[in-house]
Amino acid sequence: MSDRLAVLEPATEAVLAEVPRAGVDEADEAVARAREALPAWRALAPAERARALHALADVLAEHLEELAVLEARNAGKAITDARGEMGMVVDTFRYYAGAPERLLGDTIPVAGGQAFTVREPVGVVGLITPWNFPLTIAAWKLAPALAAGNTVVLKPAELTPLTALRFSELVLAAGLPEGVVNVLVGPGRTCGQRLVEHPDVNKIAFTGSTEVGRSIAASAAATIKRVTLELGGKSANIVFADADLEAAAAAAPSAVFGNAGQDCCARSRILVEASAMERFLALLEPHVKALRVGDPLDEATEMGPLISAAQLTTVASFLDDGDPVAFAGSAPDGPGFWHAPTVLAPVDPHARVAREEVFGPIAAVIPFTDEADAVRLANDTIYGLSGSIWTRDGARALRVARAVETGVLSINANTSVRVTTPFGGFKQSGYGRELGPHALDAYTEVKTIFYATGE
Ligand code: NDP
């Protein structure tokens, strides 16, 4: 294997950078560096670790525009989206900078002394991340892991390693000690797999496909490694006839075509009450046709290209199954991995496009008859990550929200992710929670200490 990796720009197919490519030996070296840095990092006074994370947030904020441009070019995402994402990276480090001094334990009444709990870092954590939100998803793992006193080896996706590499320089510029954060650019099947099997790695935090997640969980079992998995999705956007249909139709495109549909929370199944189907589609069409698809660095762009030629082939294959195209937006010609935003309607719930994660800009609109039918269809999937409910009936909104088997849901909105609230999946969308206060559970072990007082 070549020891250089050519990183492409998806909007042009040109080589954006060439970087060194690691193998198993480099993975072992990165783990050794993280292990060596662990005792001093975990022993740092809580306020000192908090200060280090604030300093890192400051440095990232100073470089926000540079990171946003790099991310937009490497991942092919709209620059306005990339800026928002880099803002979230900064906010995530700031939020978890508050954590070292708030890692509270319990005191528990027992006979003969005092029992209490403390939270210990897990140790060396391997972070394996995808190409769709490269630095953002890394930050969701890095910030709570570091706040809790762990050291890390981050393996970004080979398609999008550039912001992670720049991040590793900014970590040192912010004054964090060498070895606390190690970035390893190499293939998942060698470097990633080595992290999963390595006896000196205590935990793996992974975001990516359900298929790779499954194999990571199986390999990690050999060393009883802690694992958190954030995997695929096939989320439903449920629109009842009594909803504000104008608002639901205006919001639906960004919920499925945002990041060119390469989003584990994409609402790629739009379930619409049959009596409102015609009106909803008429309201949706102009919004889809108006979507500005083009150069990621153009301030007006709303959707960029897909990440790779392989992803384009996979996404395009969903149009070969004969499901009816209701309408589509536009996409540029020429170089770049472009696919127009496309709406299929009405789609049979058994069709492949209604069951598999597309990870591209294709929405399947599926009619339902009543509330029970909507819930049945929404839950008829192996996944359970996100979703939305649009209705003016508050009691129904809450009934359906409790009945839908997903980790995050929005009512009359399409948001999934906030720095301060937990995020993660039910069913084969994974396990463990990121963000919010709950993420710290995934990066700490609870230790119980009993102190005999001789009573
Ligand atoms: P993968 O799951 O293959 O990649 C995610 C990360 O895992 C990458 O860093 C990859 O490394 C690494 N990896 C791959 N194989 C292994 C392994 N055996 N052991 C350890 N790490 C490994 O996603 P793909 O890029 O192949 O995307 C395929 C599909 O996955 C998408 O179409 C989409 O459906 C889904 N997906 C879901 C995501 C989500 O947010 N939940 C994100 C990305 C993809 P590398 O790529 O460098 O080899």
Side-chain angles (χ1 to χ4, degrees), residues 151-237:
T151 55
V152 303
V153 178
L154 166 64
K155 196 215 84 64
E158 280 207 303
L159 290 167
T160 54
L162 299 185
T163 47
L165 285 169
R166 184 70 183 116
F167 174 82
S168 68
E169 296 166 355
L170 297 177
V171 165
L172 297 180
L176 273 73
E178 296 262 0
V180 170
V181 174
N182 305 274
V183 173
L184 178 70
V185 175
R189 64 186 179 284
T190 53
C191 285
Q193 183 68 22
R194 180 64 182 151
L195 292 181
V196 177
E197 291 171 353
H198 203 299
D200 268 350
V201 174
N202 303 89
K203 178 201 159 89
I204 294 288
F206 171 77
T207 299
S209 62
T210 294
E211 189 189 353
V212 172
R214 218 174 266 131
S215 91
I216 286 177
S219 303
T223 47
I224 316 291
K225 216 172 245 82
R226 279 78 183 122
V227 178
T228 42
L229 301 173
E230 202 271 274
L231 309 174
K234 190 71 196 170
S235 297
N237 186 357

Side-chain angles (χ1 to χ4, degrees), residues 42 105-106 116-120 444-450:
R42 64 174 290 174
D106 299 305
F116 61 98
T117 63
V118 291
R119 301 244 217 148
E120 306 282 15
T444 50
E445 297 274 19
V446 174
K447 180 185 283 175
T448 304
I449 300 175
F450 171 69

